[in-house]
Amino acid sequence: MPRSSASQEQRPITALRGVGEALAQRLARLGVAQVQDLLFVLPLRYEDRTTVIRIGSLLPGVRAVVEGEVQLAQLAYRRRRQLQCSLSDGSGFLTLRFFHFSAAQQQGLARGTRLRCFGEVRRGPQGLEMVHPEYRRVNGAAAPPEETLTPIYPLTEGLSQGRLRELIGQALRELDTETVRDWIPPQMLEPLSLPSLREAVRYVHRPPREAQLGELEAGCHPAQRRLAFEELLAHQASLRLLKRAARTEAAWPLLDAGTLARKLVSSLPFDLTGAQQRTLGEVEADLQRAEPMVRLVQGDVGCGKTVVAAAAAARTVGSAPTDAPGEHFQAALMAPTELLAEQHWHNLVQWFRPLGLDVALITGSQPARTRRSAMEAVASGDIRVVVGTHALFQEGIEFARLALVIVDEQHRFGVQQRLRLKEKGSRLGRVPHQLIMTATPIPRTLAMTAYADLDISAIDELPPGRTPVRTVVVPEQRREEVVARIVQVCRAGRQVYWVCPLIDESDELRSQAAEETAALLAEALPDVQVGLVHGRMPSVKKDAAMLAFKAGRIQLLVATTVIEVGVDVPNATLMVIENAERMGLAQLHQLRGRVGRGAEASTCVLLYRAPLSPLARQRLQVIRESNDGFEIARRDLELRGPGELLGTRQTGLAQLRVADLIRDADLLPRVQEAAELLIAQYPDNIAALAARWIGTGEQYGRVG
Ligand code: ADP
Ligand code: MG
């Protein structure tokens, strides 16, 4: 592969005529940095401007092209200063109305000028009119109409439709083999009957007048599928390269001579489910190898991922390096929130102490001295099992012999962070094994696409004896009934969560709302012990409240969505979620997963404030009808689109420009095959594809 062609492709946008720094900055907001990027700014829709309509046959509401002569142009002052032109083609009159116009523009619209205009026709005070139409002067009576459909592009401030269209036109004129290369070998495209890259690009920007608008707007035209295929392939191949690169590094084989994993599992008060056993088997098989494990464990809320992680940690710390038989390896568990880190720590202490092992907790809100001594014990190797928050692991913590990193709730944790983390343990010339746990259930094909750099295990079974949570949707006006229900539940010895609304993105406002709600509920329920947890409380207080709730001293816990992930109190059987209409499906499912953890039947009350948008109504219906995380994820995909489901920080797929994982799902098996072929036979093309679709310094900066 001649390098020069790749660099030819990477010409900066400023290489185009008339593009200076200011315009380049605006274009950057559309993701355009290089000339070729312009070609991949795709139209949002198209307009048919290929036929000029007679003014006399215009109807209000249509968008149309007309042509005529300016009969009269005058300034008018009805409420605002404005320029009015009367245009005629002999069949009728049309008013053009401008509220913003320059002196030059006004002169250009003088009586007798011939114009071609495009705009929406509406009824005005003097008959039909167009407000701020797009227009240009035409010379001669029969200027040819547009030959292709007109693309309408996404815009950014300071960049007009006309200017962008013109820039893309320039890029299209330069479109030849040297400026934009087809990096996909033709034999991969033939079975799919997809056009070449250049044909595809030309078509989407300049569809012929006879093109099917419906097909184009649905994104189903072969030209669009060609681009979607390429985009998916770029992601897929890059992720796979990442996976291969990870596998070529060395890791410590963890043989667990002390059989700590077995001891931990047999000390549990329950048997592992079949799915837990299978997953643990997969994890343990990986851990015994000298190449690093990079495995994702997917499992619905409450399926019991934590014990699997704990057993993996036990295998790790029960293993000794061959060159230093007296030493032991370390395992670290990272949680997305302090609350969760603390809860994991409590659990691990309970499981590891009988094995004679201490567990360190490291969080940001700990007193500095406590944290420092924990960090010292970790650095010296005295402590082998460490629990902490994600943030902390990115700062100055040192490990003596880190061999396993467990990341809980990976949906808050991106590819980039995983890469950084790997470096933590690589001081000894080996990288740690990685175990990533997520409760965001995504369908299999999607998982294989989004997590192509990982191996995947699924815990697709809940521990026995759980009763599905009953979910009811209740309007805000019936809040009092719900409050009365709390009394009953507490009298029966059970506990209740009350989740406060997402009124604002700010932690402060949310916390304030939670405080007020807690005060109101405490007043309304004098016999009930009310506690409060929110994001801005000092960790000691949060911890105390959680522990009191776990121990049953608090009966009603008012909380913000900080309790969203992982919190485990099996005696809680009622959850009330305020303003449920504002929350996404994944979040509602996560929250609801806090109840229904024991054998007792549980209820989740979704309080909503009317009126409901159609989308909110559908979401509430989905969550009411299903308890199955995979089913909910599937519906979520349909309702929201995959980017949102995965979370923008999670994978490169969140930034798909052309492809749509639902619409283009049928391409995925071919994408997988093509990715394999590309890696095997055309590895150099992958970097060029990644540069085109993913961007250079970003997610996969080290690919290629
Ligand atoms: P999640 O997968 O959502 O992280 P947890 O690991 O918090 O779930 O487990 C949920 C609850 O189920 C915990 O109380 C845990 O002790 C319990 N649990 C886990 N595995 C089993 C099992 N095999 N049988 C019974 N209870 C289990
Ligand atoms: Mg969990």
Side-chain angles (χ1 to χ4, degrees):
M1 193 64 45
R3 281 270 158 228
S4 62
S5 8
S7 59
Q8 176 81 306
E9 275 198 352
Q10 286 163 26
R11 273 196 316 151
I13 186 71
T14 43
L16 275 193
R17 198 160 21 86
V19 182
E21 263 323 301
L23 185 54
Q25 271 172 27
R26 282 174 220 151
L27 285 164
R29 292 201 292 262
L30 292 175
V32 175
Q34 301 169 358
V35 177
Q36 71 156 341
D37 294 337
L38 277 173
L39 300 172
F40 302 100
V41 173
L42 297 182
L44 297 170
R45 57 189 174 83
Y46 298 89
E47 276 169 355
D48 186 349
R49 303 184 186 178
T50 59
T51 328
V52 175
I53 309 279
R54 284 160 53 83
I55 290 177
S57 54
L58 286 177
L59 292 171
V62 300
R63 299 172 68 81
V65 185
V66 295
E67 208 175 290
E69 207 177 281
V70 176
Q71 305 296 313
L72 179 72
Q74 61 181 4
L75 284 175
Y77 297 88
R78 41 180 78 231
R79 267 182 285 169
R80 286 163 67 189
R81 180 170 172 268
Q82 50 191 269
L83 175 64
Q84 285 179 11
C85 301
S86 177
L87 193 75
S88 170
D89 62 359
S91 70
F93 288 88
L94 178 71
T95 303
L96 311 180
R97 195 181 297 282
F98 299 89
F99 296 104
H100 311 281
F101 51 93
S102 61
Q105 212 176 353
Q106 188 181 346
Q107 277 160 23
L109 291 171
R111 189 188 155 131
T113 316
R114 265 197 89 69
L115 296 179
R116 159 114 22 105
C117 303
F118 178 83
E120 183 173 331
V121 180
R122 60 174 217 188
R123 237 184 273 280
Q126 289 124 358
L128 295 182
E129 63 177 31
M130 282 183 185
V131 176
H132 282 275
E134 282 183 47
Y135 69 91
R136 63 184 167 92
R137 297 175 63 153
V138 288
N139 301 314
E146 301 285 332
E147 282 166 12
T148 63
L149 298 181
T150 306
I152 310 294
Y153 295 103
L155 292 179
T156 179
E157 204 168 314
L159 183 65
S160 72
Q161 198 59 249
R163 186 83 177 97
L164 182 57
R165 211 177 281 145
E166 186 265 321
L167 288 172
I168 290 173
Q170 267 195 62
L172 281 174
R173 278 193 295 281
E174 295 186 6
L175 181 64
D176 61 42
T177 38
E178 282 314 298
T179 53
V180 178
R181 287 194 51 157
D182 213 333
W183 300 106
I184 306 185
Q187 71 266 30
M188 293 185 192
L189 296 168
E190 268 155 29
L192 291 160
S193 325
L194 293 177
S196 75
L197 179 66
R198 277 180 298 146
E199 283 173 294
V201 165
R202 248 186 247 291
Y203 194 97
V204 297
H205 290 287
R206 297 283 183 269
R209 59 198 302 183
E210 67 277 6
Q212 295 292 317
L213 261 184
E215 187 183 44
L216 274 174
E217 279 172 3
C220 300
H221 188 276
Q224 291 162 312
R225 282 168 60 81
R226 166 66 182 74
L227 299 177
F229 182 82
E230 178 168 324
E231 181 173 39
L232 290 169
L233 180 58
H235 282 271
Q236 187 67 202
S238 306
L239 283 170
R240 285 192 186 209
L241 273 192
L242 212 58
K243 180 171 178 172
R244 278 186 18 150
R247 298 301 185 279
T248 59
E249 288 173 289
W252 296 100
L254 304 172
L255 303 174
D256 193 14
T259 63
L260 281 191
R262 192 144 18 105
K263 286 177 186 151
L264 185 142
V265 169
S266 57
S267 75
L268 294 170
F270 47 74
D271 293 330
L272 295 186
T273 62
Q276 282 171 317
Q277 280 173 26
R278 194 186 58 234
T279 299
L280 181 56
E282 288 163 359
V283 169
E284 294 207 278
D286 286 352
L287 292 179
Q288 290 172 48
R289 298 169 54 175
E291 61 185 53
M293 167 175 81
V294 188
R295 182 171 289 278
L296 177 78
V297 172
Q298 257 196 333
D300 209 348
V301 282
C303 72
K305 292 183 288 293
T306 318
V307 285
V308 173
R315 161 170 283 275
T316 306
V317 305
S319 304
T322 39
D323 58 351
E327 306 275 314
H328 282 95
F329 289 115
Q330 292 172 307
L333 167 55
M334 311 186 358
T337 64
E338 300 220 336
L339 202 64
L340 211 51
E342 284 160 27
Q343 179 183 286
H344 280 323
W345 179 70
H346 283 291
N347 280 330
L348 294 189
V349 165
Q350 188 190 323
W351 294 329
F352 278 92
R353 202 159 271 164
L355 305 177
L357 289 172
D358 274 338
V359 180
L361 173 68
I362 300 182
T363 70
S365 60
Q366 261 171 340
R369 279 182 53 200
T370 318
R371 183 165 66 240
R372 204 173 321 120
S373 72
M375 282 169 69
E376 278 165 16
V378 172
S380 70
D382 286 348
I383 288 199
R384 301 187 218 162
V385 187
V386 191
V387 181
T389 44
H390 293 161
L392 266 157
F393 278 84
Q394 281 153 39
E395 285 157 28
I397 182 167
E398 302 274 322
F399 293 86
R401 286 184 179 276
L402 182 64
L404 171 66
V405 175
I406 302 162
V407 184
D408 193 18
E409 302 303 347
Q410 120 96 21
H411 64 280
R412 300 209 179 167
F413 199 72
V415 170
Q416 195 65 267
Q417 287 161 297
R418 283 210 312 272
L419 290 175
R420 202 172 312 143
L421 197 140
K422 211 173 64 182
E423 282 149 18
K424 281 282 174 211
S426 56
R427 291 185 309 130
L428 305 165
R430 311 244 181 161
V431 300
H433 297 280
Q434 293 181 57
L435 180 64
I436 297 136
M437 304 193 290
T438 178
T440 311
I442 57 176
R444 189 169 169 75
T445 44
L446 190 49
M448 285 176 55
T449 310
Y451 303 124
D453 59 331
L454 311 173
D455 289 312
I456 302 178
S457 297
I459 305 185
D460 49 8
E461 183 183 356
L462 290 181
R466 302 258 171 95
T467 320
V469 178
R470 195 170 71 94
T471 302
V472 290
V473 178
V474 175
E476 170 73 25
Q477 293 90 312
R478 287 171 49 201
R479 192 185 174 98
E480 306 224 324
E481 288 169 45
V482 176
V483 173
R485 178 73 188 278
I486 294 176
V487 181
Q488 289 170 10
V489 171
C490 293
R491 277 212 188 108
R494 302 291 164 193
Q495 291 163 281
V496 182
Y497 290 103
W498 183 291
V499 182
C500 289
L502 264 169
I503 37 162
D504 194 277
E505 278 304 310
S506 107
D507 227 19
E508 182 162 358
L509 286 181
R510 285 194 204 181
S511 304
Q512 223 172 44
E515 270 166 19
E516 282 162 22
T517 309
L520 285 173
L521 286 170
E523 203 179 291
L525 301 165
D527 299 334
V528 172
Q529 288 303 314
V530 181
L532 173 66
V533 198
H534 63 64
R536 286 177 56 99
M537 270 162 80
S539 174
V540 209
K541 282 183 80 179
K542 221 159 51 182
D543 212 16
M546 276 319 297
L547 281 174
F549 189 61
K550 258 192 139 136
R553 291 192 303 276
I554 286 176
Q555 295 161 288
L556 169 61
L557 185 68
V558 178
T560 52
T561 49
V562 292
I563 58 150
E564 178 186 342
V565 282
V567 174
D568 186 39
V569 179
N571 191 47
T573 58
L574 173 63
M575 168 169 280
V576 182
I577 303 177
E578 272 192 277
N579 283 125
E581 79 281 2
R582 302 252 196 112
M583 294 186 196
L585 275 178
Q587 190 174 32
L588 286 171
H589 181 63
Q590 279 283 345
L591 282 168
R592 182 175 57 182
R594 302 309 110 218
V595 292
R597 302 196 141 229
E600 202 71 20
S602 297
T603 306
C604 177
V605 178
L606 304 177
L607 278 179
Y608 70 88
R609 190 166 297 167
L612 284 180
S613 72
L615 190 63
R617 186 181 301 276
Q618 271 177 305
R619 275 206 299 264
L620 293 179
Q621 189 181 342
V622 168
I623 203 84
R624 182 162 54 88
E625 286 170 359
S626 179
N627 264 298
D628 174 351
F630 280 91
E631 168 66 12
I632 290 169
R634 200 182 57 74
R635 297 297 311 274
D636 203 15
L637 268 176
E638 282 170 16
L639 293 175
R640 315 202 304 173
E644 289 168 88
L645 176 76
L646 293 172
T648 44
R649 275 160 299 161
Q650 187 173 22
T651 65
L653 287 182
Q655 292 116 45
L656 286 177
R657 287 189 259 170
V658 188
D660 177 318
L661 287 169
I662 299 290
R663 185 190 63 209
D664 303 320
D666 64 311
L667 290 175
L668 292 177
R670 288 289 185 174
V671 168
Q672 314 263 10
E673 280 172 31
E676 237 157 70
L677 202 69
L678 221 49
I679 289 175
Q681 294 177 20
Y682 307 90
D684 290 345
N685 295 19
I686 299 172
L689 281 171
R692 178 180 293 164
W693 290 100
I694 304 169
T696 29
E698 275 203 13
Q699 300 268 14
Y700 311 104
R702 42 176 77 197
V703 164

